[in-house]
């Protein structure tokens, strides 16, 4: 599995699947969630509403992931996941690890070869940035042999986050 860092807006990244740091309602929010729905158009919300009406009446549990169309984004799918809120969640590290794992499992089931991740829980959900990046990189690395996904793109939004990814990737696995 190839791991790369590409700073910028995740909605523009050309991969098979982009991950959305959603909330459990799946009905939209701020941050990267808002950007994905704006750029992808109403098809994504129609798809998440349909999921809520069928298999997810109570929403998506923290640490789990589910895929929808990507609407007009360059990607084929959006994989929605719900990160833990840093200040509130018991067993939060395990749940953040689970987000990355479940996203890669869902990508694998879809047959996605490339997946882009934002830094889950590192925005409104308040996770310290260096640790959020460490969990992201270490968990994806630990899945390299378990899934057929060939390429993972980490998409930091700022230069300081980009440095954290490059530092973490430079450390031995
Ligand atoms: P959470 O609620 O899981 O904390 P946020 O969307 O608030 O999710 O933030 C997650 C991370 O995504 C933050 O580091 C934020 O800066 C970043 N981010 C926000 N918009 C984008 C975007 N368009 N592309 C990539 N990353 C983004």
């Amino acid at each position: 599995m190839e791991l790369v860092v590409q700073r910028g807006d995740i909605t523009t990244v050309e991969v098979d699947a982009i991950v959305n740091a959603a909330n459990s309602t799946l009905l939209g929010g701020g941050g990267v969630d808002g950007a994905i729905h704006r750029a992808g158009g109403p098809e994504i919300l129609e798809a998440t509403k349909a999921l809520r009406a069928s298999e997810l009446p109570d929403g998506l549990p923290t640490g789990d992931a589910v895929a929808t169309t990507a609407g007009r984004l360059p990607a084929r799918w959006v994989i929605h996941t719900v990160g833990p809120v840093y200040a509130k969640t018991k067993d939060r590290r395990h749940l953040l690890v689970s987000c990355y794992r479940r996203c890669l499992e869902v990508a694998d089931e879809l047959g996605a070869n490339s997946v882009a991740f934002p830094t889950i829980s590192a925005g409104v959900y308040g996770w310290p940035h260096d640790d959020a990046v460490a969990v992201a990189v270490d968990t994806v690395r630990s899945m390299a042999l378990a899934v057929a996904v060939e390429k993972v793109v980490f998409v930091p939004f700022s230069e300081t986050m980009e440095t954290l990814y490059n530092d973490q990737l430079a450390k031995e696995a």
Side-chain angles (χ1 to χ4, degrees), residues 8-12 20-23 30-36 38 81-85 117-127 129 155-158 161:
D9 178 357
I10 198 168
T11 63
T12 68
N20 181 17
N23 58 60
V32 72
D33 194 7
I36 287 171
R38 270 195 305 279
T81 190
V82 182
V85 176
F117 281 97
T119 317
I120 300 164
S121 287
V124 175
Y125 283 3
W127 205 287
H129 289 179
V155 188
F157 209 38
S158 67
M161 282 290 233

Side-chain angles (χ1 to χ4, degrees), residues 21-23 30-32 62 82-89 92-93 96 100 119-133 135 161 164:
N23 58 60
V32 72
T62 303
V82 182
V85 176
Y86 188 78
K88 279 198 205 152
T89 315
R92 60 191 173 201
R93 196 177 185 86
L96 187 58
Y100 287 94
T119 317
I120 300 164
S121 287
V124 175
Y125 283 3
W127 205 287
H129 289 179
D130 52 348
D131 194 53
V133 168
V135 171
M161 282 290 233
L164 291 173

Side-chain angles (χ1 to χ4, degrees), residues 45-107:
L45 188 59
E46 279 163 31
T48 54
K49 279 185 178 162
L51 282 171
R52 286 297 309 273
S54 54
E55 61 212 68
L56 295 169
D58 300 324
L60 184 66
T62 303
D64 205 353
V66 70
T68 66
T69 172
R72 11 173 229 260
L73 296 175
R76 217 166 138 193
W77 299 284
V78 173
I79 300 174
H80 307 263
T81 190
V82 182
V85 176
Y86 188 78
K88 279 198 205 152
T89 315
K90 263 206 290 179
D91 204 15
R92 60 191 173 201
R93 196 177 185 86
H94 172 79
L95 287 166
L96 187 58
V97 166
S98 173
C99 286
Y100 287 94
R101 281 200 187 135
R102 288 290 303 129
C103 285
L104 288 171
E105 285 168 3
V106 168

